Amino acid sequence: MAVIKGGAYGHGLLKIAQIFDQEKLPFLGVANAGEARKLFEGGIQTRPYILGATLPVEREEIAARRWTPCLCSFEELEHFNQLGRTTPIEAHLALDTGMGRGGFLPEHLGAALEKLRSSPGIQLTGVGSHLPVADEDSAFTRSQFELFDTLVESIPKPGSHFHIHLSNSAGLLNYQSRTTNLVRPGLLLYGISPIAEHQALLKPAMSLKTRVSVINNLPKGHGVSYGRTILKRDTQAAVLGLGYGDGYPRSLSGKGGQVLLNGTLCPLLGRVTMDQIIVDVTDLPQCHPGDEAILFGKDLLVTEIAAKAGTIAWEILTQITPRVTRSYR
Ligand SMILES: *Cc1c(COP(=O)(O)O)cnc(C)c1O
C-alpha cells in the first residue's frame, strides 16, 4: 500500500497517485473520504484505503464507491453492516496494539469477530494495526509485533487474499513480522527515511527552491527583519522570495536555520516573514539577484530543517502551501 494521504505528503495527491496507479498496488492509503474522492474524480483505478476511523457522514459514499475502510469501533462496524445490506462492504479490522487512535483492543477482538460473524453486510478482507514508536522505542515495537502476530494467528482467515498489515516506513525498515503480507510506507516513498542510518539508501523526491531578489550591504549594529535581530558584523544580506506563507517554518527563526546558495550553506538572519527570508551571504565569493536557493532537498535534508524547527519532516512536507509552484521531473 502506498500511503498518499496529506496530498501525498505535500507532493501533490493526484500526480503521485497517477504514478503509483501504474504499479498495480492493492491500495492507496488516504486519510478520509475527501482524499479518496479526489482519486475517484481523477480517474485513479487503485482502490483507496481509509487509514483512520471514518466519520458517520462519510460512510455512505465509502460504501457506495467500494473504498476500503478499517473498522475501528462497534459503532462503525454496525453502521457499515447496515450500509452493506444489498452489497456487502469489503473492510479491514483495525486493532489497537498501542497507538490509542482507534481500533479494537486485544481484549475486544473476540467480541468484534463474533459481531462480524453476524454482520452479513461486511466482508472482512484484512486486519491491520499501527506503530506509534517504530522510530523511537525498539523494545516496545518488538513487543507490539509479537502481540500483533499472536492476535492475527488467532483470527480465522478466509482465503489467500486476506491482507495483514502493521508497518509504516520505520516498521518496514527495522522490524519483521511472522504474519504480515502488506506494508504501508509513506515517508519512505518520498525518499526520506524516518531513521537516519537508512537515509543513504534513498534520494529525496522533493526540493524546495526559491531565488535571491536583492542583496543589501548592512552595517554592524543594523537590525534585520521583524523584531530587529542586530547584526554583529558588516553583512551582505540576501533576501529570498519565500517565507512561512509558503510553508517554510517560522519556528526556524533564531534556531540556526541554513539555506543552500551556490553550493554553500548560508545562515538565516532574523525572523522568517510571510513572503521573504534574509540570509547571510557575506562569506560567499559570488551571489547575485536571481541566484537559486535551496531550502531543502538532497543536499540539505528536510529532516534536518525539521529538527531545527522543533518538528518532523512529515509536518514540513505537508505544510508547503499551494502558493508554491510544483514542477515535476
Ligand atoms: C501515515 C500512516 C502511515 C505511513 O506512515 P510513515 O511513517 O509516513 O511511513 C502508515 N499507516 C498509517 C495508519 C498511517 O496513518
Side-chain angles (χ1 to χ4, degrees), residues 69-89:
C70 60
L71 306 170
C72 292
S73 66
F74 286 106
E75 189 270 327
E76 234 183 333
L77 202 159
E78 275 159 29
H79 195 177
F80 275 116
N81 182 39
Q82 283 170 27
L83 292 168
R85 266 182 318 237
T86 43
T87 322
I89 293 157

Side-chain angles (χ1 to χ4, degrees), residues 3 5 9 51 101 130 168-169 184-187 314:
V3 175
K5 66 186 178 187
Y9 290 48
L51 288 158
R101 195 177 67 176
H130 194 30
N168 54 5
S169 297
R184 305 183 312 262
L187 194 67
W314 293 260

Side-chain angles (χ1 to χ4, degrees), residues 208-239:
L208 179 63
K209 296 176 180 177
T210 186
R211 289 185 187 278
V212 175
S213 56
V214 59
I215 299 159
N216 298 306
N217 284 307
L218 301 174
K220 178 180 170 179
H222 198 79
V224 172
S225 192
Y226 294 116
R228 298 187 62 244
T229 302
I230 302 298
L231 292 172
K232 295 197 179 74
R233 61 171 180 173
D234 293 348
T235 301
Q236 299 231 22
V239 179

